[in-house]
């Protein structure tokens, strides 16, 4: 564990975990890079696709990233098409399935709050046979404002019937930490993906984890009355 849990963020027992998807649950970056490169070539044309810049904005909704980068919104069509075509090559991160199963056994309720569109996220999690380990899967197209706004986290809390102090959000992007903080939720950084760890630590998450199994050390079983 890179940073120890900070108080008062962990003083209230947790019963709800909200997860980002890409870079936390699934190792989607190689496929994402390929889909982005194909979409760029198809819509923009010659030249190297600026995936490194795109990567810096991950966590946001794809159209929002296109606007920030000044790229054509028409890239979304081929990007989504290729993402579906290549979805079978996206794996879970090692240890994630076991962590999700253990969280269910301990009584936690869980949700996905992703920058992806909801249909894409549910399709991918169904292919990976883990969708049953989440109570809800919410995409950025299903809320008014995508991350870094808190809307998607607040919507997850509403669906789960949970208060902010009962929840923890685990994400690999600065936008995840911002969304969690905006919703009043404990913010935990996942450092096992391709995101820049220094950028994440610079925004002072309540804890930062080097591997998925460390999440279990933060969370005793849910106490039910």
């Amino acid at each position: 564990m890179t940073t120890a849990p900070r108080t008062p963020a962990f003083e209230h027992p947790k019963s709800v975990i909200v997860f980002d998807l890409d870079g936390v649950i699934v190792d989607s970056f190689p496929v994402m890079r390929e889909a982005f490169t194909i979409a760029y070539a198809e819509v923009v044309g010659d030249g190297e696709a600026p995936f490194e810049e795109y990567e810096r904005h991950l966590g946001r909704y794809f159209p929002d990233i296109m606007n920030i980068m000044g790229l054509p919104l028409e890239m979304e069509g081929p990007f989504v098409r290729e993402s579906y075509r290549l979805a079978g090559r996206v794996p879970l991160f090692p240890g994630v399935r076991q962590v999700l199963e253990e969280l269910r056994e301990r009584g936690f309720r869980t949700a996905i709050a992703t920058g992806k569109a909801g249909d894409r996220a549910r399709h991918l999690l169904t292919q990976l046979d883990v969708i049953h380990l989440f109570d809800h899967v919410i995409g950025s197209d299903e809320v008014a404002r995508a991350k870094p706004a808190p809307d998607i986290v607040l919507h997850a809390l509403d669906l789960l019937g949970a208060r902010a102090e009962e929840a923890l959000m685990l994400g690999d992007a600065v936008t995840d930490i911002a969304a969690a903080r905006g919703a009043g939720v404990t913010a935990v950084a996942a450092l096992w993906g391709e995101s820049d760890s220094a950028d994440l630590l610079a925004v002072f998450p309540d804890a930062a984890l080097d591997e998925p199994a460390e999440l279990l050390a933060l969370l005793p079983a849910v106490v039910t009355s």
Side-chain angles (χ1 to χ4, degrees), residues 15-208:
S15 59
V16 165
I17 315 297
V18 180
F19 295 91
D20 182 42
L21 181 57
D22 297 296
V24 177
I25 300 296
V26 297
D27 185 6
S28 54
F29 289 97
V31 160
M32 195 181 299
R33 180 186 296 272
E34 185 171 343
F36 184 84
T37 300
I38 291 170
Y40 185 87
E42 191 171 310
V43 175
V44 179
D46 295 336
E48 183 178 355
F51 185 76
E52 286 69 25
E53 181 182 354
Y54 174 81
E55 224 174 359
R56 290 199 292 272
H57 302 295
L58 288 179
R60 298 177 183 267
Y61 191 29
F62 188 89
D64 294 340
I65 300 176
M66 294 300 95
N67 283 326
I68 291 169
M69 294 179 65
L71 291 174
L73 292 177
E74 289 79 10
M75 280 184 60
E76 183 177 20
F79 179 81
V80 169
R81 181 197 70 220
E82 293 302 309
S83 296
Y84 273 111
R85 183 178 69 85
L86 300 168
R89 287 168 34 191
V90 177
L92 294 168
F93 278 106
V96 161
R97 185 185 300 273
Q98 293 83 352
V99 168
L100 294 174
E101 291 172 345
E102 177 67 21
L103 289 172
R104 298 302 260 186
E105 290 178 10
R106 294 187 186 187
F108 285 90
R109 291 168 292 155
T110 56
I112 290 284
T114 176
K116 271 183 166 57
D119 284 347
R120 282 180 58 210
R122 289 184 285 271
H123 174 265
L124 179 57
L125 291 167
T126 299
Q127 281 203 325
L128 291 165
D129 191 30
V130 291
I131 196 165
H132 62 287
L133 298 174
F134 300 98
D135 295 286
H136 300 282
V137 178
I138 310 162
S140 286
D141 60 326
E142 296 167 334
V143 292
R145 298 178 300 165
K147 293 181 280 189
D151 299 36
I152 196 166
V153 183
L154 292 170
H155 187 42
L157 296 182
D158 184 55
L159 290 172
L160 292 163
R163 300 187 304 274
E165 61 268 25
E166 298 173 316
L168 174 155
M169 179 167 186
L170 182 64
D172 72 321
V174 171
T175 51
D176 296 316
I177 304 302
R181 290 262 165 77
V185 167
T186 297
V188 178
L191 305 181
W192 52 82
E194 290 191 18
S195 294
D196 190 311
S197 296
D199 287 348
L200 275 170
L201 296 175
V203 296
F204 301 106
D206 297 302

Side-chain angles (χ1 to χ4, degrees), residues 10 14-17 103 106 108 168 214-222:
F10 287 89
K14 308 302 178 191
S15 59
V16 165
I17 315 297
L103 289 172
R106 294 187 186 187
F108 285 90
L168 174 155
E214 291 180 353
L215 180 61
L216 298 174
L218 290 179
L219 301 168
V222 176

